[in-house]
Amino acid sequence: MSRFHVSISPEPDSAAPSFGSHLNMSRHNKYSVLLPTYNERDNLPIITWLLAKTFKEHGLDYEIIIIDDNSPDGTLEVAKQLQRVYGESHVVLRPRAGKLGLGTAYVHGIQNATGNFVIIMDADMSHHPKAIPAFISKQKERDYDIVTGTRYTSGGGVYGWDLRRKLTSRGANFIADLLLNPGVSDLTGSFRLYKKDVLHQIINATVSKGYVFQMEMMVRAKQFGFSVAEVPITFVDRVYGESKLGASEIVGYLKGLWTLVTSV
């Protein structure tokens, strides 16, 4: 019998009561944050500070695993400085020789993760760490295998995108939902909390590349019967650096979607 189930929580509110007292009850859990980076030298110090602040305020054990793909802007050098500031137990560097893809970056990160939960998110501050306590709280409600952030339900939203980008994202989700029926409202999102062993199993079965990779992981989650909950998030377009989404990525998405539809 399938365990696949989706539940939605309200978006975390800065005015709401702190999650700290609830989260401190499970100090034995450790959260490994995977941050694949490419040309993120300006964003990395800020997102690292926000992550460390969030985990410390809620008394949570954590590590931030930075997987840099030989960024020409010196991201790795910045990461080394951050490691000296926060310590090797909290900032773990696992650089690679070049751009080898998001999926392999996650595999590389998981192999080095010591936590029993893994958080994946963007390093460009599109995903705010303030939502992480809500993810953790939601996971504990019914021991969910996965908690995914969603922009497309009550309490969620997108800021900083032009109309073309919004239509592209909405269209991508609509087409994928129509063809694949994955059971989640934001199939292309990339802010998620996984049980480590669950993420490992899903990634081992995932074959897509690029932006389709995140989508296939949710399809595989349903296929394997994993339980999934959703938390509304606010996605904010990057402040520093350039978006990596272009025409070639959109074409690649459509090709990958068709391959996924015909193979699942």
Side-chain angles (χ1 to χ4, degrees):
M1 178 177 172
S2 173
R3 293 190 295 127
F4 189 82
H5 173 74
V6 174
S7 175
I8 299 178
S9 286
E11 183 184 18
D13 189 336
S14 58
S18 170
F19 290 95
S21 59
H22 172 71
L23 299 180
N24 282 339
M25 295 171 63
S26 299
R27 288 183 178 271
H28 62 280
N29 288 326
K30 183 174 182 179
Y31 299 89
S32 299
V33 181
L34 304 188
L35 285 185
T37 59
Y38 188 77
N39 289 345
E40 299 290 358
R41 65 169 294 133
D42 294 323
N43 292 312
L44 189 58
I46 305 172
I47 192 67
T48 301
W49 180 81
L50 288 170
L51 282 165
K53 179 176 181 288
T54 298
F55 285 119
K56 184 176 180 180
E57 286 179 348
H58 295 283
L60 298 164
D61 193 10
Y62 74 97
E63 62 183 359
I64 303 167
I65 302 177
I66 300 171
I67 307 121
D68 186 66
D69 279 0
N70 197 24
S71 299
D73 73 340
T75 297
L76 183 57
E77 294 306 312
V78 172
K80 289 178 180 178
Q81 295 177 39
L82 292 170
Q83 187 179 59
R84 287 194 288 270
V85 172
Y86 294 98
E88 295 183 3
S89 63
H90 288 311
V91 175
V92 181
L93 308 184
R94 292 295 181 264
R96 304 193 297 173
K99 294 187 72 173
L100 303 174
L102 186 61
T104 58
Y106 288 151
V107 172
H108 190 58
I110 291 172
Q111 290 171 346
N112 293 278
T114 60
N116 54 324
F117 288 94
V118 175
I119 295 168
I120 63 172
M121 61 189 300
D122 293 344
D124 62 5
M125 296 189 298
S126 297
H127 302 138
H128 201 295
K130 70 178 182 179
I132 289 176
F135 278 51
I136 295 173
S137 182
K138 186 65 179 179
Q139 189 280 325
K140 293 177 185 298
E141 285 183 10
R142 296 186 181 180
D143 192 29
Y144 288 107
D145 297 310
I146 304 166
V147 178
T148 182
T150 175
R151 298 161 289 182
Y152 302 127
T153 191
S154 178
V158 176
Y159 294 92
W161 278 1
D162 58 21
L163 181 60
R164 182 188 70 86
R165 186 77 186 271
K166 289 181 179 179
L167 290 175
T168 298
S169 179
R170 280 286 195 177
N173 274 281
F174 175 77
I175 294 171
D177 184 64
L178 184 66
L179 297 176
L180 297 170
N181 188 28
V184 293
S185 61
D186 192 349
L187 193 56
T188 58
S190 55
F191 192 3
R192 295 172 183 161
L193 167 69
Y194 290 87
K195 291 180 178 178
K196 181 180 176 181
D197 57 336
V198 168
L199 179 57
H200 189 269
Q201 183 177 343
I202 290 174
I203 284 184
N204 283 342
T206 301
V207 298
S208 299
K209 307 295 182 185
Y211 289 91
V212 182
F213 181 83
Q214 300 286 8
M215 181 170 62
E216 184 179 349
M217 288 207 293
M218 287 293 94
V219 174
R220 297 299 177 189
K222 181 178 181 180
Q223 186 179 55
F224 293 145
F226 290 128
S227 55
V228 181
E230 292 189 318
V231 171
I233 61 167
T234 299
F235 179 96
V236 181
D237 197 19
R238 62 166 56 243
V239 176
Y240 300 110
E242 298 179 355
S243 172
K244 299 174 179 66
L245 177 64
S248 61
E249 284 76 19
I250 295 173
V251 172
Y253 168 82
L254 294 173
K255 289 181 178 178
L257 174 59
W258 179 248
T259 299
L260 189 56
V261 168
T262 57
S263 63
V264 173

